[in-house]
Amino acid sequence: MALARYENRNPWSQFHQEVNRMLGENSSVVTSDWVPVVDIKEEKDRFVLHADLPGVDRDNIDITMEGGVISIRGERKLEDVAEGGEYKRVERAHGTFYRRFALPDEADPEGINARCNQGVLEVVIPKRQSVQPRRIEVGG
């Protein structure tokens, strides 16, 4: 039986594939083979980002913050098939992924930390101490 690849009918996935096809290999634009789902929540003193990355080794995850934009990129490799075996169906995405998120000015890039547990990446971005407004007297 031949290998059958599941075609994701997600419009964003199709859009990314079309952009990849049009730009080709010589482009400086960062593209993805798949897009992990992400939740971002705001708490009183921090932002917390959760990304579903099952099967991605933490050594294959790169997180950067520059100019108020946090970028997460990495790769999930296709598992090797044991000798004598073959896939009958492939639905899980593999290859490179890339996500970027603009953060508010109050995000503190110096205090960011990340951990990966059971296929879920957690990135904690603390908020800077807010500066309280100060009333200024006008002299005469």
Side-chain angles (χ1 to χ4, degrees):
M1 174 183 265
L3 176 68
R5 176 151 173 83
Y6 171 75
E7 288 297 323
N8 186 348
R9 295 294 176 206
N10 179 332
W12 283 112
S13 177
Q14 291 174 341
F15 172 75
H16 284 287
Q17 290 173 0
E18 185 64 20
V19 169
N20 288 347
R21 186 190 64 75
M22 289 186 316
L23 295 175
E25 297 296 322
N26 298 325
S27 171
S28 62
V29 175
V30 179
T31 58
S32 299
D33 294 319
W34 64 284
V35 180
V37 293
V38 172
D39 295 333
I40 301 175
K41 67 179 174 177
E42 181 176 1
E43 297 176 352
K44 181 182 175 187
D45 59 344
R46 66 187 188 161
F47 300 96
V48 181
L49 180 150
H50 289 111
D52 286 347
L53 301 175
V56 178
D57 189 290
R58 67 179 160 195
D59 293 335
N60 291 334
I61 301 171
D62 182 37
I63 304 169
T64 58
M65 171 106 173
E66 182 178 355
V69 175
I70 190 162
S71 300
I72 303 169
R73 71 177 75 207
E75 180 178 10
R76 178 167 49 208
K77 299 182 188 284
L78 183 63
E79 295 176 11
D80 292 332
V81 178
E83 186 177 323
E86 65 179 52
Y87 283 111
K88 300 296 184 193
R89 184 178 184 117
V90 175
E91 292 186 359
R92 297 182 301 155
H94 61 277
T96 59
F97 63 87
Y98 182 67
R99 298 292 309 263
R100 293 176 52 152
F101 304 96
L103 295 173
D105 292 337
E106 68 224 60
D108 181 5
E110 300 301 318
I112 296 175
N113 65 61
R115 68 187 188 100
C116 196
N117 185 23
Q118 296 183 350
V120 178
L121 173 68
E122 179 182 73
V123 181
V124 176
I125 307 147
K127 291 182 180 179
R128 296 178 189 184
Q129 295 296 325
S130 60
V131 177
Q132 298 299 320
R134 189 180 116 219
R135 182 167 175 81
I136 300 170
E137 297 292 326
V138 179

